[in-house]
Amino acid sequence: MKDQYHELYTTFRWWVPQRFNIAEACCHRWTTTSVDARRIALYSEDETGNREVWTFARLQEYANRLSNGLRRMGVQRGDRIAVVLPQRPEALVAYLAVFQLGAIVLPLSPLLGADALEYRLRDSEARIALVDDSSVAKLQSVLDRCPMLRQIIGIGTEDDDSLPWRTLIARQESSFEPVVTLAHDPAILAYGPGPSGSAKGALLPHCALIGHLPGFVASHNWFPQTGDVMWAPAEWSWASGLFDALLPTLYFGHAILGTRGHFSVERSFQLLERYQITNLYLPRAALTSMMKAEPTPAGNQQLALRSVAVSGGSVDDATAAWAQSRLGVTVNEVFGHAEACYVVGNSHEKWPARPGSIGRPYPGHQVAVLGNDGHPVAPGEVGEIFVNRHDIHGHPDPVMFLGYWRDDEATQARFQGDWSRTGDLAKVDEDGYLWHSGRTDDSFDASGYRISPEEIEQCLVQHAAVAQAAVVSAHDADRGALIKAYVVRAVDTPIEDAELVAELKSLAQARLAPYEQPDQIAFVNDIPMGPTGKVQRQTLMAREAAKAPPLPASPALPALLP
């Protein structure tokens, strides 16, 4: 294969129209002819196996009805509308409806704990929230503390305080005149991980979708091709699911699969075969789970995969070889953040993919690994990954976020001149490939999610028997990275260790998202602290690293190769 990277990277030019709206680009323009309007936009399947098929015409009709309903509720340009829904058709309808109103989508995961949900609703001053049974009870528990939230729209809920979705939709007209938006008008307010009171909302413009397209196209081996169908288990409430899968797929007029229910390997293979998925986007933890559940190359499914993009951690040689033999594809690793997503990655049909490397900067993005002196590090040295506001030709990069919600100080701290820091460390080799080397802060990845230790610690110390708590990543041979909490008991607490563990897990279950709940709890006499009182997590992480077994040689690896 000829390495085409240099030619593609140096010749790429952005074209961003002055007027641009995500709803127009992802749906409305596909309804202008009857042929396109009948194209399938969404396959939907819930955890019980119920299935729906939505065309672009149906999506547009429902989006128009919801836009009319929201307008009659008083929603205006710039208002924040919370969408607290899983991967279901109504979530996509809500996004499109809010976009074409010129309002701002606040995507929130139904998995968020009550405290995190309340903080994001209050901080954003969201006016309306759309919920279903997965989130309505949690929302009701914090409603009294969210004074700006004036209306809840319930989808299939029995809640008396919610306006039923079906009633609202049925009363509205099916035509709507969209608000004209500029490309750099705000469209999405995406909150990252973090404890309540410090999680920051990244404000993303409509043109951020355009900024994601080079990485999306490249990581999926020049998407779209005839018959392409996308699936990404990542929630649409996260930037990875929304911008790295859902919206780019619809932008190109192709179908995506939306699923509800917990990720399972058995179901994943069934879905891949049933819908003849050609393009798959996964967190690394999910791909590893698939390999461990089906380690042998043989499989009974008739798969149609032609690309797999993976984020959230480095793919090792064994997993890469398994994907090649079991799934029939070479994995393309990708990297990015909500503030500037899909900026680095691989595209193995255009340039060689190196297992374990997060790739090279995608066309259109100027990326550098800088040292503390602000200069590029030498090959093999560790520095922080930075993304420039401009591409290599000096043109603005449309992927860049507008700033943090009502926090100019945090926005300014993010930048060094035109360079935006990511908080991720990497090495760069002689050929320009980046190799992830951890984080500059204390967050870490577990089960495909970015974990903020502080939020979990704040929850645990609410228990009267806990004096201090510190959370770090722990290694498990089968499950990979886990969440481990070190706890110092309060003085003179008679409760037994086993009972306290049960109570702490119950507290975490009530207050935190499922992916934030500690997998392990250990009691210690003290937690290492620095001179300023900051927890020295590196000391705790060093303890965990010492317990982790060395990575074994893989004598079975050659057998996985075709």
Side-chain angles (χ1 to χ4, degrees):
M1 179 198 66
K2 177 185 177 183
D3 187 343
Q4 303 175 48
Y5 177 79
H6 181 74
E7 178 183 0
L8 291 167
Y9 186 75
T10 57
T11 60
F12 181 87
R13 296 291 191 281
W14 289 111
W15 183 79
V16 180
Q18 182 180 14
R19 294 182 178 182
F20 184 76
N21 185 282
I22 293 175
E24 163 65 26
C26 292
C27 189
H28 183 266
R29 69 186 177 115
W30 297 113
T31 64
T32 56
T33 68
S34 59
V35 174
D36 283 339
R38 291 194 296 269
R39 294 169 73 160
I40 295 174
L42 176 67
Y43 297 102
S44 178
E45 182 170 322
D46 66 17
E47 56 270 30
T48 64
N50 294 319
R51 305 170 195 170
E52 296 182 66
V53 177
W54 286 62
T55 63
F56 282 98
R58 186 183 182 192
L59 275 179
Q60 188 63 53
E61 178 187 346
Y62 273 69
N64 288 345
R65 291 181 182 276
L66 181 56
S67 290
N68 283 317
L70 293 174
R71 176 172 285 175
R72 286 185 170 87
M73 292 168 139
V75 173
Q76 300 177 10
R77 180 193 291 268
D79 286 345
R80 280 74 61 204
I81 308 300
V83 181
V84 198
L85 296 172
Q87 282 192 6
R88 58 184 303 155
E90 294 87 350
L92 176 52
V93 169
Y95 291 151
L96 297 173
V98 175
F99 291 146
Q100 62 183 14
L101 272 166
I104 300 172
V105 170
L106 174 65
L108 297 174
S109 170
L111 298 177
L112 285 173
D115 290 346
L117 181 63
E118 176 191 341
Y119 169 73
R120 286 155 175 77
L121 290 170
R122 285 175 57 89
D123 188 63
S124 65
E125 297 182 340
R127 292 191 54 190
I128 295 172
L130 289 88
V131 301
D132 65 3
D133 286 336
S134 66
S135 54
V136 64
K138 205 177 303 180
L139 185 60
Q140 286 291 347
S141 72
V142 303
L143 195 57
D144 291 343
R145 299 187 292 278
C146 300
M148 296 297 293
L149 190 61
R150 300 176 183 176
Q151 182 68 66
I152 299 174
I153 300 173
I155 302 168
T157 64
E158 301 297 329
D159 175 41
D160 293 337
D161 295 328
S162 299
L163 172 63
W165 165 274
R166 290 184 179 276
T167 301
L168 175 63
I169 294 295
R171 293 173 177 173
Q172 310 305 322
E173 298 177 357
S174 60
S175 60
F176 179 80
E177 186 64 33
V179 170
V180 174
T181 58
L182 302 180
H184 286 87
D185 283 346
I188 296 172
L189 182 56
Y191 281 82
S196 297
S198 67
K200 295 186 288 292
L203 194 59
L204 306 171
H206 284 272
C207 64
L209 172 58
I210 297 175
H212 282 72
L213 296 181
F216 177 79
V217 169
S219 65
H220 289 290
N221 301 330
W222 255 241
F223 190 99
Q225 296 183 21
T226 302
D228 275 354
V229 180
M230 170 66 66
W231 180 44
E235 291 185 70
W236 295 342
S237 50
W238 301 113
S240 56
L242 189 58
F243 272 121
D244 298 359
L246 177 65
L247 297 179
T249 301
L250 299 176
Y251 175 88
F252 288 111
H254 279 253
I256 188 169
L257 170 63
T259 54
R260 280 173 275 168
H262 294 296
F263 177 87
S264 75
V265 173
E266 180 181 6
R267 187 188 182 204
S268 296
F269 277 109
Q270 293 171 354
L271 294 170
L272 291 174
E273 182 179 34
R274 181 178 304 138
Y275 294 96
Q276 288 294 281
I277 302 297
T278 56
N279 309 91
L280 178 63
Y281 178 88
L282 287 173
R284 181 197 57 79
L287 184 65
T288 302
S289 297
M290 294 174 74
M291 180 187 72
K292 290 182 177 298
E294 292 204 9
T296 58
N300 298 322
Q301 299 88 4
Q302 299 296 316
L303 303 182
L305 280 172
R306 69 174 192 84
S307 73
V308 174
V310 172
S311 64
S314 298
V315 176
D316 57 69
D317 289 345
T319 304
W322 175 86
Q324 184 69 62
S325 59
R326 178 65 177 86
L327 303 179
V329 295
T330 297
V331 171
N332 287 322
E333 296 184 47
V334 302
F335 167 84
H337 289 279
E339 293 86 348
C341 201
Y342 237 142
V343 292
V344 173
N346 288 289
S347 185
H348 82 92
E349 292 186 358
K350 299 295 182 180
W351 62 86
R354 297 181 178 177
S357 168
I358 58 176
R360 292 158 151 174
Y362 280 127
H365 307 300
Q366 187 180 178
V367 179
V369 179
L370 306 179
N372 292 331
D373 59 1
H375 294 94
V377 298
E381 294 183 1
V382 175
E384 184 176 352
I385 303 173
F386 280 76
V387 185
N388 202 287
R389 293 181 187 269
H390 303 93
D391 65 11
I392 59 173
H393 307 290
H395 301 143
D397 186 341
V399 82
M400 190 63 66
F401 78 127
L402 298 173
Y404 290 117
W405 178 249
R406 294 177 177 171
D407 195 339
D408 292 338
E409 183 177 349
T411 302
Q412 293 172 9
R414 183 84 182 188
F415 286 90
Q416 293 184 10
D418 285 335
W419 291 96
S420 171
R421 64 188 322 142
T422 65
D424 282 86
L425 302 172
K427 298 177 182 178
V428 59
D429 65 23
E430 296 282 358
D431 299 316
Y433 286 83
L434 277 65
W435 303 78
H436 197 262
S437 303
R439 291 278 301 170
T440 60
D441 59 18
D442 297 321
S443 63
F444 58 89
D445 287 323
S447 301
Y449 293 91
R450 178 71 74 183
I451 304 300
S452 171
E454 292 91 344
E455 188 162 13
I456 304 171
E457 292 161 359
Q458 285 184 4
C459 172
L460 297 178
V461 297
Q462 292 178 25
H463 196 289
V466 175
Q468 288 179 293
V471 171
V472 297
S473 172
H475 174 80
D476 180 83
D478 293 323
R479 298 170 58 191
L482 301 180
I483 301 172
K484 183 167 185 174
Y486 285 92
V487 170
V488 176
R489 297 169 59 102
V491 178
D492 299 329
T493 53
I495 185 171
E496 296 292 331
D497 284 356
E499 184 180 355
L500 181 52
V501 167
E503 291 186 8
L504 290 176
K505 289 193 171 183
S506 178
L507 177 63
Q509 187 175 19
R511 306 305 302 176
L512 299 172
Y515 56 82
E516 294 177 306
Q517 297 168 23
D519 300 289
Q520 301 173 357
I521 296 176
F523 296 105
V524 293
N525 294 326
D526 61 83
I527 289 173
M529 311 283 281
T532 62
K534 180 177 175 62
V535 175
Q536 294 181 323
R537 296 184 209 279
Q538 294 300 325
T539 302
L540 296 174
M541 292 173 67
R543 293 182 192 175
E544 293 302 324
K547 298 176 185 177
L551 292 175
S554 182
L557 181 57
L560 293 176
L561 295 172

